[in-house]
Amino acid sequence: MATVTSAARKLWDRGAILRELNLPPEEWVSFPHRVRLSGPSAADLVEYRADAQAWSRTLNDSAANAEWNLVTKRIRAGVLGMQTIPTAAIISTPTVALNLLGRAQTADASTYRELLAATEVLDYLAREIALRRPFDVLAAGDEWPILVKVAQWLLANPRPGIYVRQVPVPGLHTKVIEQHRPILTRLLDTVLAAADIAPQHSDFAHRFGFINEARSVRIRGDRGVLGLPLQGAEPTSHLESDAAPAARPALVHPTLGVLLTDDSLGDVTWPVTALAALDAPAVGVRELVVVENKISFLTTPHQPGRLILWGAGYGADQLLHALEWRDRVAVTYWGDLDTHGLHILDAVRARAPQVRSVLMDLDTLEAHKPYWGREGRQRAGALIHLTESEQLLYQALLHGEFGESLRLEQEYIGYERVAFALSTPSSR
């Protein structure tokens, strides 16, 4: 039974169940699905006859209860003569496969069917996009109909020359676009006329004719690197920054020996274009640390040669993409231990393959059990840029191995653990 359920789960993870639940049988690709069963040999049937019979009985009962089909064959088993043993299971339909899974998947399948219906107002190509990317549609959730309405509006008003936030669609705000940019881009690439798309541009605004709102990024690093006055000097920087601080005694962590206060450290907000124009390696930057959440950004230990960026969640991949010098420094990413955090990491590594993550593994999750929380809506789908340890964490979270919709926000990870993980810059 476990083998058949595992096969159904793999079909779910590929999106095959969600997709083919909403297709007519003649368009199914994954069903009927055959699952090979590893059964006893002829010698096993003789030596372990009772166990083999119990195994066969269990499979027959499970098949009858779950409505999948059992394939058998006859083999000669010594003194027992001809015996019938199961050799394969046939999951005949996506409905049968769904019934092998849990209530969460059943609820997601119902939600997806409702969201897919919202796409009918566009055209069949838009529906194809939604069928190919079912987990992106589920991740958008209640915001999926908003994305469809954006596509409708752009069909009627191509290349509008306004800010995205000015699009007159109820519920639309820039975070909706930022978080669901990949699937909205695919949707618009599908339904808009070729003349209304600038394919040479990867950023959303330029691609679809919006005014590009200059993005800013908050940075911590050496004051000299950031063009800030050193201790006791008069301010000279024209960029938004903190004022030169008054002298104060340095605070040192009692066991780690790292500085908790550092007058050589600056905290600035720059346009991304200004950070991109900085020749970071030439001014001594050796490592870039991108952090998902604000409080973690503010408390990430600093050391010479390190720039710390507040990635602010989704969009961190585009931030890195804008920095052409990213391939000349080591890059570290640290985010929440939840499905969304791992999707962000996957997108970041797609832009910068050398990226290492810190504290995004099962050991960290299990060490902070008192601080586990719940993720509002998980984001599923295949992630191809994760390492083995990251993938183990992703699958454990996705399949509820420690609890349903589990998450650990990075702010709850102990400071000592953070400092140790970041004590040595990553290698390029």
Side-chain angles (χ1 to χ4, degrees):
M1 178 62 180
T3 302
V4 183
T5 302
S6 176
R9 191 172 294 282
K10 288 178 182 178
L11 289 167
W12 174 268
D13 291 343
R14 296 206 318 253
I17 296 176
L18 284 173
R19 186 163 43 252
E20 297 186 24
L21 278 170
N22 294 278
L23 291 173
E26 60 268 20
E27 295 183 28
W28 291 350
V29 174
S30 301
F31 297 94
H33 184 76
R34 185 183 180 93
V35 183
R36 182 178 175 273
L37 300 176
S38 297
S41 65
D44 291 335
L45 287 174
V46 175
E47 187 172 355
Y48 306 105
R49 182 180 180 184
D51 290 341
Q53 288 176 336
W55 173 76
S56 180
R57 224 172 12 250
T58 299
L59 283 175
N60 276 284
D61 292 345
S62 297
N65 292 334
E67 299 182 341
W68 46 271
N69 302 315
L70 200 57
V71 178
T72 61
K73 72 175 181 180
R74 301 271 291 168
I75 64 171
R76 185 175 298 280
V79 296
L80 298 178
M82 298 301 295
Q83 298 290 308
T84 300
I85 63 166
T87 58
I90 304 295
I91 305 175
S92 56
T93 70
T95 300
V96 171
L98 181 63
N99 290 339
L100 287 164
L101 304 176
R103 286 178 294 178
Q105 286 81 8
T106 300
D108 280 347
S110 177
T111 299
Y112 177 67
R113 183 182 295 275
E114 294 172 6
L115 295 174
L116 191 61
T119 316
E120 304 291 349
V121 299
L122 291 173
D123 62 16
Y124 79 95
L125 290 175
R127 177 180 163 85
E128 287 297 311
I129 291 291
L131 285 168
R132 285 203 298 269
R133 310 289 299 192
F135 292 115
D136 285 347
V137 174
L138 274 177
D142 293 340
E143 293 170 345
W144 173 250
I146 296 174
L147 301 181
V148 172
K149 289 175 182 176
V150 170
Q152 283 181 282
W153 189 85
L154 279 173
L155 271 170
N157 303 274
R159 305 200 69 77
I162 61 174
Y163 287 103
V164 171
R165 67 179 63 195
Q166 292 178 293
V167 174
V169 169
L172 179 67
H173 50 83
T174 50
K175 194 168 183 177
V176 172
I177 301 295
E178 186 176 277
Q179 186 167 350
H180 306 299
R181 172 174 38 85
I183 194 167
L184 180 57
T185 298
R186 293 186 188 97
L187 190 61
L188 295 176
D189 281 347
T190 299
V191 301
L192 296 180
D196 297 329
I197 303 169
Q200 71 273 22
H201 292 293
S202 60
D203 69 283
F204 187 87
H206 283 123
R207 190 178 189 87
F208 300 114
F210 292 98
I211 299 174
N212 192 32
E213 186 174 3
R215 182 179 175 182
S216 296
V217 59
R218 192 166 172 181
I219 315 162
R220 293 173 63 234
D222 294 322
R223 298 181 69 85
V225 169
L226 299 175
L228 299 175
L230 301 179
Q231 174 63 43
E234 292 297 318
T236 58
S237 176
H238 66 283
L239 297 169
E240 179 188 346
S241 67
D242 51 356
R248 58 184 177 183
L251 292 177
V252 180
H253 193 284
T255 57
L256 297 172
V258 298
L259 288 173
L260 299 177
T261 59
D262 186 353
D263 287 335
S264 69
L265 181 63
D267 185 338
V268 301
T269 300
W270 283 5
V272 172
T273 51
L275 181 60
L278 177 72
D279 189 349
V283 294
V285 175
R286 298 186 298 275
E287 181 189 21
L288 194 61
V289 177
V290 184
V291 182
E292 183 177 346
N293 297 328
K294 184 177 181 180
I295 194 66
S296 298
F297 159 79
L298 292 172
T299 57
T300 295
H302 173 256
Q303 57 183 241
R306 173 181 287 167
L307 280 187
I308 306 164
L309 305 188
W310 180 18
Y314 285 96
D317 58 323
Q318 283 207 322
L319 171 60
L320 274 178
H321 183 63
L323 308 179
E324 294 186 358
W325 46 264
R326 66 185 179 277
D327 293 331
R328 295 190 283 139
V329 299
V331 183
T332 300
Y333 183 80
W334 175 33
D336 287 335
L337 281 75
D338 58 21
T339 59
H340 287 269
L342 289 159
H343 272 265
I344 296 169
L345 171 61
D346 188 76
V348 163
R349 193 171 281 129
R351 297 289 192 182
Q354 84 273 26
V355 167
R356 70 152 181 171
S357 70
V358 292
L359 305 170
M360 299 183 74
D361 52 41
L362 284 172
D363 287 345
T364 304
L365 179 70
E366 294 184 71
H368 293 80
K369 187 173 181 178
Y371 305 104
W372 289 355
R374 299 292 174 193
E375 200 172 10
R377 178 183 286 276
Q378 288 192 315
R379 183 173 183 183
L383 300 182
I384 63 173
H385 301 292
L386 299 185
T387 65
E388 183 179 355
S389 63
E390 294 159 359
Q391 192 67 246
L392 286 173
L393 172 65
Y394 179 59
Q395 295 301 325
L397 293 172
L398 201 59
H399 298 144
E401 291 181 17
F402 299 98
E404 189 173 345
S405 299
L406 201 69
R407 73 179 308 211
L408 172 66
E409 294 179 87
Q410 61 182 162
E411 290 92 336
Y412 291 108
I413 297 175
Y415 183 82
E416 291 84 356
R417 199 179 187 102
V418 174
F420 180 78
L422 290 169
S423 60
T424 304
S426 59
S427 59
R428 288 175 50 200

